[in-house]
Amino acid sequence: MNSAVDGSARVQESQDARTPPFNGMVWIPGGAFLMGSDRHYREEAPAHRVTVDGFWMDRCAIVNSEFRRFVERTGYVTLAERPANAADYPGARPELLQPSSIVFKKAQRGAGLDDHHNWWTYVPGANWRHPRGPSSTIKGLENHPVVHVAFEDAEAYAKWAGKELPTEAEWEFAARGGLEGAEYVWGDEFTPNGRHVANTWQGEFPWQNRFEDGYEWTAPVGSFPANGYGLHEMAGNVWEWTTDWYQEHEKIDSPCCTLHNPRGAERDASYDPRETEIKIPRKVMKGGSYLCAPNYCQRYRPAARMSQPVDTATCHLGFRCVVRPGGQS
């Protein structure tokens, strides 16, 4: 588990000896890699060469006990715990402006995969303290990833802890664990020797989950083997925020040339072109979650990526942090 400390004084200490600036962080040496994939979803292509500088990364996703410490010390209130501003959402129904978040609900057998409303539901009172709805709690889930955190919530925690959120390139490089071009963070076989090594969905999504990996919802961090850099759950369990504004890889300038420490799109380029009335900028999220399934969302891979509106929190999205030597942003 990570050990968050408010303030950033320790970040300024010399890191020449590779002493972690905070407990629970590991050194990612940096280097060159092939980012993205030409073999899967459109938004991952084209694969392109990237280099990143070395950095420190949380070994595991931020957990409920750490986020609770942040909230207790600062009085912070997450986006899902606040009513939405009606002026930001013209025409929205009043019930959708209540403090709410998005929760997965298992669908009926035969539910189509073409309509996400079959399994996603907007639940008033759902938030990081009540991950499955207002009657649920995080008692017993202290070492599970915090969820129902919007981008601004993750960013606020990182700033308080003296850390930052990773770029997409940093995140993907770290997830690969030194395995150049491998399909998964652990190699090329999804279940090596028949063993599940990530918290994903087994069965027919969205109605049948056999949870052969031992978990139907989130798993405690560190439940699955670490990758080559010592990072746990870089695939499955929960999606993780990155700091990059979303764009299709095909829109990258000069994808044929090696990019150094890329930082994503401009904010205004991240809007969903299908949304013409209410434009919400989007960030890149990485890693897949316990809801990713072979028949629907094979995104438990380091190259996988999705856009996420910055105002949206869900039951399967969390984050982890990084520290860059010298405080480079």
Side-chain angles (χ1 to χ4, degrees), residues 81-105:
E81 296 173 284
R82 298 175 241 151
N85 184 352
D88 294 334
Y89 304 94
R93 301 196 307 270
E95 62 269 23
L96 296 180
L97 299 175
Q98 300 178 59
S100 309
S101 194
I102 297 174
V103 179
F104 172 80
K105 181 181 179 182

Side-chain angles (χ1 to χ4, degrees), residues 62-82 99-103 123-142 144-150 153 218 313-315 317 319:
I62 301 303
V63 299
N64 285 314
S65 62
E66 294 170 316
F67 198 79
R68 179 172 57 199
R69 186 180 309 120
F70 158 62
V71 168
E72 289 174 346
R73 294 186 181 181
T74 64
Y76 186 83
V77 179
T78 64
L79 193 64
E81 296 173 284
R82 298 175 241 151
S100 309
S101 194
I102 297 174
V103 179
V123 178
N127 55 56
W128 74 273
R129 303 176 193 269
H130 307 288
R132 301 181 197 176
S135 62
S136 66
T137 74
I138 56 171
K139 185 177 182 180
L141 303 178
E142 290 83 1
H144 286 235
V146 63
V147 292
H148 296 294
V149 283
D153 305 324
T218 57
T314 72
C315 65
L317 172 58
F319 67 101

